[in-house]
Amino acid sequence: MGRLDGRVAMVTGAAGGIGACAARQLAAEGATVVLTDVDTEGGRQVAAEPCGGAGRMEFVRLDVTREDDWLAVIAQVEREHGGLDVLVNNAGITLIKPIAQTSLAEWRRLTAVNVDSVCLGMKHALPAMTARARSRIEGGSIINMSSVAGIVGVPNCLAYSMTKAAVRHMTKSAALEFADAGYNIRVNSIHPGFTRTPMAESIYRIWAETGAFGTRDLEATRRIFVDLHPLRRQEQPLDVARGVVFLACDESGYMTGAELVIDGGFVTR
């Protein structure tokens, strides 16, 4: 038996990286997983993969910045699956620029994807989650993907750090609100380090180009940054996906408003 047999989970930004890996792991534990993304081709490819467990995956297109999209997708999940048990607000983009070079349009786009989407997800998932959550003592689970950049400063990362700090504090406020309202839905955040994904690789390239760590060599930049992590290896999507499964299942049933930091010790320095 899987730890999530019979559960329905939804993962945003699931066409690749951490989102895709989290979807695979949730399905492997028995969940029916609704993958969402604006990348239709990538999302469908992930959903077509063998699950390796009792669960299954399917893809629905969702632009997380559009409220109408959220309403339509949640309605579809309720209609086809009877509700929702787990929401993983994972969709996000990055911006590595000095604030002096950051345009207002870039700031607003980053906020729309990284912050507005989390608000919309929590708001519109509630009707689909509450009845099912109240039927089990451990309740439902909302998992918001923040970052170590939401806890500590990162070079040329003011705007991105702001969005991830916002997710961190939104999570805590939602946890209190949902508990007080009796929804029985837990809300926790995950704070990965610089996971080995295309997004992280683009950040390394920018840091190398700007000499942020005293060198313009890409491999040297990567080694310097990885060595800032006490475990001295680059984080993999699976490291984060395992944390998603833990927060989704009953093993974390007495956790809400918590920060699960999965970063190889980066923020301890």
Side-chain angles (χ1 to χ4, degrees):
M1 287 184 60
R3 289 181 287 172
L4 294 168
D5 284 353
R7 310 286 174 86
V8 179
M10 178 174 167
V11 184
T12 68
I18 291 171
C21 191
R24 295 182 188 107
Q25 294 301 304
L26 292 167
E29 290 290 346
T32 295
V33 185
V34 180
L35 293 79
T36 70
D37 207 296
V38 291
D39 178 359
T40 301
E41 182 178 353
R44 286 176 175 165
Q45 288 177 353
V46 175
E49 295 175 6
C51 291
R56 64 190 183 91
M57 297 188 289
E58 61 186 55
F59 174 77
V60 179
R61 190 185 187 281
L62 169 65
D63 180 341
V64 292
T65 69
R66 295 177 57 86
E67 189 162 24
D68 287 348
D69 276 23
W70 274 104
L71 288 166
V73 172
I74 292 294
Q76 181 176 337
V77 170
E78 287 190 283
R79 185 170 60 252
E80 296 181 359
H81 303 294
L84 187 64
D85 301 293
V86 178
L87 171 66
V88 184
N89 278 314
N90 170 76
I93 58 175
T94 190
L95 179 68
I96 306 300
K97 270 189 175 183
I99 191 61
Q101 298 173 17
T102 301
S103 71
L104 184 58
E106 289 173 320
W107 176 276
R108 287 176 172 165
R109 174 61 179 164
L110 197 70
T111 303
V113 177
N114 292 6
V115 180
D116 294 358
S117 70
V118 176
C119 175
L120 292 172
M122 291 192 293
K123 175 182 178 180
H124 293 301
L126 277 176
M129 294 185 71
T130 303
R132 292 166 70 99
R134 286 172 173 162
S135 70
R136 294 183 297 103
I137 188 170
E138 294 85 1
S141 176
I142 294 177
I143 303 161
N144 295 328
M145 198 64 64
S146 182
S147 167
V148 292
I151 301 174
V152 298
V154 180
N156 294 336
C157 207
L158 186 152
Y160 178 75
S161 295
M162 174 278 298
T163 65
K164 292 305 183 179
V167 171
R168 179 191 188 195
H169 286 279
M170 288 164 65
T171 297
K172 294 179 182 301
S173 293
L176 292 173
E177 180 179 323
F178 291 7
D180 290 344
Y183 296 141
N184 202 29
I185 296 172
R186 301 176 290 109
V187 190
N188 297 288
S189 59
I190 294 183
H191 299 259
F194 283 75
T195 312
R196 193 175 184 86
T197 63
M199 181 184 293
E201 289 304 306
S202 69
I203 294 171
Y204 286 132
R205 286 194 297 272
I206 293 168
W207 280 339
E209 290 168 2
T210 59
F213 288 90
T215 176
R216 294 183 181 274
D217 181 80
L218 177 59
E219 289 304 317
T221 297
R222 185 183 289 107
R223 284 196 304 272
I224 291 168
F225 192 72
V226 169
D227 283 346
L228 292 176
H229 300 69
L231 294 185
R232 286 182 170 75
R233 68 171 176 84
Q234 184 158 18
E235 187 167 2
Q236 302 298 317
L238 183 58
D239 295 316
V240 186
R242 287 168 173 158
V244 170
V245 171
F246 169 68
L247 290 178
C249 73
D250 292 347
E251 292 170 8
S252 60
Y254 202 60
M255 290 177 64
T256 196
E259 302 169 6
L260 185 57
V261 180
I262 307 175
D263 70 339
F266 180 78
V267 300
T268 62
R269 291 194 178 275

